[in-house]
């Protein structure tokens, strides 16, 4: 069977490798638009933070390693069309050559790309998004070859905040601008405030409700123009979110879902049963609502790739779904989430109840205990836990997963409150923050 | 109603406070054998580690605070008899005065005590167990008033290992002796070995299979005599485990369970419906087997105290049970467990399958990533996850709770393997150690 995979990152390469390892008799072709496959995109900010770190180090497996196991890998192959009747895909290489490949089963793993609105100057050299390894290389090179004392970051999502920390650690004065009316608007303000204070404490200037109109290059520096204010800077990072690379699917008449991500069933099949998709270009079923959502994250891509691979070769496997469980660092803070916040729960048809507690990362008798802010959400009618959000300087990142397990299991607040969790003074108060919050939620849920 | 509580630590005082706060019309009497109530016993090793730290700081609430909310608290009251027909308890105070109290409902929260086998010399001044705050004070005083350069710790359980670290940090040369044939015998050897190496690396001499026969005082130092070897030392810590303070219950004819801990139902009632118990003197139902087990831990005492309080005042509340979830530090290592190991699973009637994996605490592209050793156990027939054990220098202590939630929910390995967990390079590999281990277990469970 000829299996054609469009996109050679997390979902694509994990599927390709799995198929080749377990069913080597299949002909597996991967078409990747860039020159890179299999690298840790999420580590890029941490590599950029260190001037001595070589970003090439983030390459997990070189193309030749995939070729060695029999994957036919074509780099610099940008696919722009799927012909579902003829079962072919076509496009153009970086060198301008046209190509055409046929398939028995097609797997679209085209990922996402930075959202780049039509702002004049976003294409200037010195204005960089951060998505591909090539972007990482360009930023590294720019920082090496230019005197960068100031940077403006447009957008205050995960990537913007991680890049803020990276550039700050290189002694660059960072200014952030965010079009939305809040920083991390999805966080409850009680959890958002300590994060904002952390940015203040580090001397990061940031401006919310601030739309960039134009970026101008003036000699050796840039001017980032907004409605109210202009910012002079030596470097601009454009991190205004991402959009799915779903155009080839759309043109081929495949059904799309939220945010125009490609709609899939639990077998990772698109509306064409011979075409599969997974990763950042695809929707996934939400564990709680069972509805299609688009929350592009690395683990989802890896998980989806595996499930798609199994179904492509005829093993029956289902993708149970996602919760949007995520964690990221904002300087000394860990910010983590799983499931729905209050508003999302409401929009999903629940009657949510939430609690907000402030607790501690270690026993109160331990020195250097840090505050942990917890926001837990449950459904009033059933008591089912719908979401968990935590912020703190320690003890948050790995703790969020206990909430993720509870959400997967459909636990009620009173059940979660009674989980026998680990206690030792250096690691936790007697009542772990998660069971403490669940216990408060139980009280609030009482009629 | 007159509610009499014997024992003023975690279970007793949490029950007393809860009853007084919610139902102040009740007469609540607490009889405590020592002079201390409500202190963080678990923090004692960490306080002893620091010569400048005042152990009195570990007192969470002073007796007067409990009296202020209307609890009749008697210190230095050692109860030695329950008369179930007359519904009285009697005993003797520290000053030798006899006392007698009546009750409508009795709550036994007598905790546990260090196991002190009939070894000659265990009662010498300079040989200390560590259970009560008074023990902590004595050790502190001894370290201050004597030149302690060497210490022998008898027993290598949680407390022994925590005290090892505490004394090491005070520049005391520590030798440990353990009667059992292994250090942390309940850990799989693949997880035990890094812990043992850590002890070696810190220069801790330890001897397994080594039974202490006698301790002699010879001038300013002690000789700890074992079958094979004698150890000269300036201080001895006796941490050979604990036993439940269940004698008054036994004498009163109440049913006992494993390790002679007091048997309870899920309402925290003993075999006498007017007598409740919880905490370190009592059994608790195991979440997985629903059988009575004795695993004395702080959170269990607090949880049990709350449930007992509710039932005593007529609210109906059930204690779902425990998993023995625990974590402790061995120098730079975090050691954590929840549920059954392979042998325990077998003894509990399961047909266990286990996996052992070595993974990392951060993305492999992150610097300073540490190894994490994981042992996960499931039942072959049903796939139900039965236990999770982890050892590592970071990312273990809070991560164990995701396993605890899974065990509470009765999750199967394939369900746990599919939980959407958090990933960010500084905190985790893409596949969290827990889902990675579950995934390996799924493969092993496949027919």
């Amino acid at each position: 069977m000829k299996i054609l995979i469009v996109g050679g990152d997390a979902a694509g390469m994990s599927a390709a490798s799995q198929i080749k390892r377990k069913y080597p008799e299949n002909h597996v072709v991967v078409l990747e638009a860039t020159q890179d496959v299999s690298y840790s995109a999420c580590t890029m900010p941490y590599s950029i933070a260190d001037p001595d770190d070589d970003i090439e180090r983030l390459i997990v497996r070189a193309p030749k390693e995939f070729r060695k196991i029999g994957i036919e890998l074509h780099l610099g192959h940008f696919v722009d069309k799927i012909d579902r009747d003829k079962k072919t895909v076509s496009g153009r290489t970086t060198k301008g050559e046209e190509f055409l490949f046929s398939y028995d089963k097609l797997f679209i793993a085209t990922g996402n790309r930075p959202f780049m609105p039509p702002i004049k100057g976003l294409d200037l050299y010195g204005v960089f998004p951060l998505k591909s390894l090539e972007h990482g290389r360009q930023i590294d090179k720019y920082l090496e070859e230019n005197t960068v004392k100031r940077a403006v970051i447009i957008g205050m999502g995960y990537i913007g905040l991680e890049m803020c920390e990276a550039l700050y650690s290189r002694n660059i004065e960072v200014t952030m601008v965010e079009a939305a009316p809040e920083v991390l608007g999805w966080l409850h303000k009680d959890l958002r405030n300590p994060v904002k204070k952390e940015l203040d404490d580090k001397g990061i200037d940031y401006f919310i409700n601030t739309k960039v109109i134009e970026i101008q290059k003036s000699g050796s520096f840039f001017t980032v123009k907004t409605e109210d204010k202009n910012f002079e800077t030596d470097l601009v990072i454009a991190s205004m979110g991402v959009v799915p690379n779903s155009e080839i699917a759309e043109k081929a008449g495949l059904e799309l879902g939220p945010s125009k991500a490609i709609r899939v069933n639990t077998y990772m099949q698109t509306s064409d049963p011979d075409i599969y998709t997974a990763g950042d270009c695809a929707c996934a079923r939400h564990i709680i609502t069972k509805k299609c959502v688009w929350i592009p994250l690395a683990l989802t891509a890896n998980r989806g790739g595996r499930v798609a691979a199994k179904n492509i070769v005829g093993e029956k496997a289902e993708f149970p779904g996602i919760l949007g469980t995520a964690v990221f660092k904002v300087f000394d803070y860990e910010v983590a989430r799983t499931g729905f916040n209050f508003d999302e729960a409401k929009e999903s048809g629940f009657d949510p109840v939430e609690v907000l507690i402030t607790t501690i990362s270690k026993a109160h008798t331990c020195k250097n205990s840090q505050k942990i802010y917890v926001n837990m959400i449950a459904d009033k009618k059933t008591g089912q836990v719908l979401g968990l959000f935590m912020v703190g300087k320690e003890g948050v990142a790995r703790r969020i997963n206990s909430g993720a397990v509870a959400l997967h299991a459909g636990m009620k607040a009173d059940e979660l409150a009674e989980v026998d969790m680990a206690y030792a003074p250096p690691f936790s108060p007697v009542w772990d923050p998660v069971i403490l919050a669940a216990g408060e939620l139980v009280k609030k849920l009482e009629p």
Side-chain angles (χ1 to χ4, degrees), chain A:
Chain A
M1 183 164 60
K2 187 165 179 188
I3 298 158
L4 190 61
I5 299 176
V6 184
D9 203 347
M13 293 323 284
S14 72
S17 306
Q18 194 178 314
I19 293 171
K20 259 314 195 194
R21 266 197 302 267
K22 290 182 72 176
Y23 301 93
E25 67 278 15
N26 290 292
H27 182 191
V28 178
V29 180
V30 177
L31 307 177
E32 165 58 36
T34 74
Q35 295 299 318
D36 302 297
V37 288
S38 185
Y39 57 94
S40 175
C42 304
T43 312
M44 287 196 290
Y46 302 95
S47 175
I48 293 167
D50 178 0
D52 297 328
D53 193 53
D54 183 3
I55 204 158
E56 303 301 328
R57 187 179 66 79
L58 305 192
I59 294 172
V60 181
R61 270 183 217 88
K64 65 175 178 189
E65 291 182 63
F66 292 105
R67 288 178 181 136
K68 207 184 285 171
I69 59 166
I71 295 168
E72 185 184 322
L73 171 60
H74 299 276
L75 300 173
H77 276 55
F78 182 79
V79 171
D80 59 15
K81 197 184 165 196
I82 302 165
D83 187 326
R84 287 164 57 193
D85 295 330
K86 293 186 183 147
K87 297 183 97 171
T88 59
V89 309
S90 56
R92 210 173 266 275
T93 68
T94 322
K95 292 173 186 159
E97 292 154 350
E98 287 184 3
F99 62 78
L100 183 90
F101 288 85
S102 65
Y103 66 83
D104 295 313
K105 302 276 181 190
L106 177 65
F107 180 39
I108 305 175
T110 42
N112 67 28
R113 64 176 182 275
F115 172 59
M116 295 295 245
I119 294 169
K120 218 176 138 184
L122 268 186
D123 55 349
L124 288 167
Y125 183 65
V127 179
F128 302 105
L130 181 64
K131 160 67 194 168
S132 68
L133 188 58
E134 194 49 37
H135 295 143
R137 288 186 188 112
Q138 285 174 2
I139 294 171
D140 255 0
K141 186 165 175 257
Y142 198 87
L143 288 169
E144 209 181 296
E145 293 178 354
N146 296 274
T147 308
V148 176
K149 291 190 173 169
R150 303 161 300 177
V152 168
I153 298 176
I154 311 172
M156 295 181 75
Y158 301 3
I159 296 169
L161 289 164
E162 285 170 351
M163 278 307 294
C164 173
E165 190 179 340
L167 297 175
Y168 172 91
S169 74
R170 289 184 73 147
N171 294 314
I172 295 167
E173 201 183 300
V174 180
T175 302
M176 304 188 81
V177 291
E178 169 61 57
E182 254 313 338
V183 181
L184 304 174
W186 48 267
L187 264 185
H188 189 283
K189 76 173 186 340
D190 288 10
L191 277 71
R192 198 194 298 144
N193 288 339
V195 180
K196 286 165 74 173
K197 192 176 171 304
E198 176 74 0
L199 291 175
D200 291 339
D201 290 349
K202 299 292 179 199
I204 307 302
D205 269 336
Y206 62 88
F207 300 87
I208 51 171
N209 272 318
T210 300
K211 255 192 187 138
V212 173
I213 300 165
E214 190 182 346
I215 304 168
Q216 290 179 337
K217 182 145 192 168
S218 2
S220 68
F221 63 89
F222 299 87
T223 304
V224 177
K225 295 190 161 185
T226 74
E227 281 158 347
D228 309 323
K229 248 176 160 343
N230 294 341
F231 302 95
E232 284 193 0
T233 189
D234 306 313
L235 170 74
V236 181
I237 303 293
S239 50
M240 291 168 281
V242 288
V243 288
N245 289 324
S246 56
E247 286 78 2
I248 52 166
E250 189 178 15
K251 278 200 289 178
L254 298 177
E255 274 179 42
L256 302 185
S259 305
K260 293 194 131 191
I262 308 166
R263 191 174 284 277
V264 273
N265 62 19
T266 54
Y267 304 104
M268 311 316 284
Q269 275 170 313
T270 65
S271 50
D272 179 333
D274 286 330
I275 305 181
Y276 294 77
T277 187
D280 293 352
C281 59
C283 295
R285 188 171 73 158
H286 199 285
I287 285 289
I288 298 174
T289 58
K290 313 293 177 210
K291 281 182 194 158
C292 226
V293 292
W294 185 61
I295 310 172
L297 285 165
L299 178 61
T300 306
N302 281 277
R303 293 170 66 207
R306 284 196 186 187
V307 174
K310 285 185 182 168
N311 288 303
I312 287 169
V313 295
E315 287 183 29
K316 209 84 182 164
E318 276 197 273
F319 188 60
I322 60 168
L323 287 165
T325 312
V327 60
F328 59 99
K329 240 174 126 260
V330 183
F331 293 97
D332 295 345
Y333 272 88
E334 304 173 2
V335 181
R337 67 171 293 168
T338 187
F340 294 134
N341 68 21
F342 187 89
D343 291 340
E344 290 163 348
K346 213 162 184 176
E347 283 158 24
S348 301
F350 294 98
D351 181 8
V353 177
E354 71 179 335
V355 287
L356 287 147
I357 65 162
T358 305
T359 178
I360 43 177
S361 63
K362 302 179 181 189
H364 58 98
T365 44
C366 261
K367 287 167 181 182
N368 310 318
S369 187
Q370 301 290 340
K371 280 188 183 171
I372 294 186
Y373 305 87
V374 188
N375 178 206
M376 193 181 283
I377 298 95
D379 180 46
K380 197 170 189 172
K381 210 173 104 191
T382 62
Q384 187 191 353
V385 181
L386 302 172
L388 174 64
F389 294 73
M390 289 198 283
V391 164
K393 288 192 180 177
E394 62 169 12
V396 162
R398 283 91 177 211
R399 194 166 254 139
I400 195 72
N401 291 337
S402 54
V405 178
L407 265 58
H408 266 264
M411 266 192 176
K412 295 183 197 314
D414 59 352
E415 292 166 337
L416 183 55
E418 285 294 345
V419 170
D420 186 18
M421 289 196 176
Y423 162 60
F427 305 119
S428 172
V430 177
W431 298 87
D432 182 273
V434 174
I435 53 175
L436 192 65
E440 291 303 310
L441 206 41
V442 170
K443 287 184 201 162
K444 216 163 170 182
L445 285 162
E446 273 167 9

